[in-house]
Amino acid sequence: MVSKERVSALNFRRNIETIVVQFDANPRPLATSSFDQIVLGSFMELRKKVFGDGRGWRVWLTCKSDLDQYDQLDTHYVVAFESSTGRAVAGARLLRTDRSVSCGSSTLSYMVRDASHGKLPGLPCDLCYDAAPCDSSIWELTRFVSDGSPGAGALVLAAVRSFLIECNAQKFIFLSAPAVSRFARPAGFENVKPLGPLRGERGERYRVFSADVPSRSMKGRT
């Protein structure tokens, strides 16, 4: 079942829209896929181009994406795309922090919490000062990506804010470089603060942040 929100915007003479979408529980061949699923597929290709081809992250190279264990039917994707072509220009992945999904012999929740439990080689266990949250009102944002189209990332964050307000979310957490965390405030999120120590090597430093989702009464503010 697809959940979506479309917001039109003029972005350097291109009509850019945003959509909130999930994987189709009954996938169909590309030729008969819905437009929403085509947009989602384009977002996966963008992720592979940026994270796999660009940064050398390990991805599922058998397809045109960087699908991982957190890309499931309960995952929500916020994608900015060209309305005329369906080509994704930016996007992000959202998961509720109280989720629990069986994956082979393991039970997974979300990236930051699984890393804190030692389930993700390559990420330290001490990403958070305290226990990683497990709460239906707190979401995790990962795989935030853009192809560099002016304003596309801001549109995605605005759509993330609207979606989280509709879900009655109170906070969201994200793992990012300190510089990236600064985009949360202009997007309308509040009380942006670190939840853990700075990690990583010079040039690739990162830490976990949290941000408050504004109340429903503030939804229309910019």
Side-chain angles (χ1 to χ4, degrees):
M1 184 175 182
V2 174
S3 171
K4 61 183 180 179
E5 175 184 350
R6 296 178 186 267
V7 181
S8 297
L10 189 62
N11 184 353
F12 273 62
R13 299 183 182 180
R14 292 184 301 167
N15 193 26
I16 304 296
E17 298 182 60
T18 59
I19 185 173
V20 181
V21 62
Q22 294 174 273
F23 275 116
D24 192 335
N26 299 297
R28 292 175 287 176
L30 181 61
T32 59
S33 293
S34 67
F35 186 75
D36 295 341
Q37 294 301 304
I38 291 173
V39 170
L40 182 53
S42 179
F43 171 60
M44 295 300 171
E45 292 181 16
L46 177 61
R47 278 173 42 175
K48 178 181 180 296
K49 179 179 179 181
V50 173
F51 298 125
D53 301 339
R55 299 185 187 178
W57 290 8
R58 184 171 64 87
V59 298
W60 292 9
L61 296 177
T62 55
C63 58
K64 297 179 180 180
S65 72
D66 79 327
L67 280 165
D68 63 23
Q69 62 268 46
Y70 301 107
D71 295 302
Q72 303 283 346
L73 293 178
D74 68 324
T75 309
H76 289 78
Y77 303 91
V78 182
V79 186
F81 64 96
E82 294 180 343
S83 57
S84 60
T85 65
R87 186 179 72 87
V89 296
R93 177 173 67 187
L94 289 169
L95 290 170
R96 257 174 46 171
T97 63
D98 66 335
R99 72 191 296 267
S100 179
V101 175
S102 296
C103 185
S105 59
S106 301
T107 299
L108 301 178
S109 54
Y110 62 96
M111 191 177 69
V112 168
R113 191 162 190 258
D114 288 342
S116 70
H117 291 166
K119 295 181 178 181
L120 297 180
L123 283 178
C125 298
D126 59 349
L127 285 175
C128 297
Y129 296 127
D130 301 313
C134 179
D135 190 315
S136 62
S137 68
I138 302 176
W139 291 64
E140 180 192 54
L141 183 149
T142 56
R143 288 301 199 262
F144 181 80
V145 66
S146 172
D147 70 354
S149 296
L155 285 175
V156 168
L157 289 178
V160 166
R161 183 186 65 177
S162 295
F163 173 74
L164 292 179
I165 290 173
E166 293 297 330
C167 292
N168 295 314
Q170 295 180 2
K171 297 177 182 291
F172 81 97
I173 67 172
F174 56 101
L175 181 69
S176 79
V180 175
S181 69
R182 298 170 192 152
F183 293 111
R185 292 186 182 91
F189 295 102
E190 304 165 341
N191 194 28
V192 181
K193 62 181 182 181
L195 292 185
L198 195 60
R199 288 288 179 254
E201 301 177 355
R202 187 174 182 179
E204 293 187 3
R205 305 284 272 172
Y206 57 85
R207 71 193 315 172
V208 179
F209 293 86
S210 74
D212 291 348
V213 177
S215 64
R216 186 178 295 271
S217 63
M218 296 180 65
K219 180 180 178 182
R221 299 185 184 183
T222 59

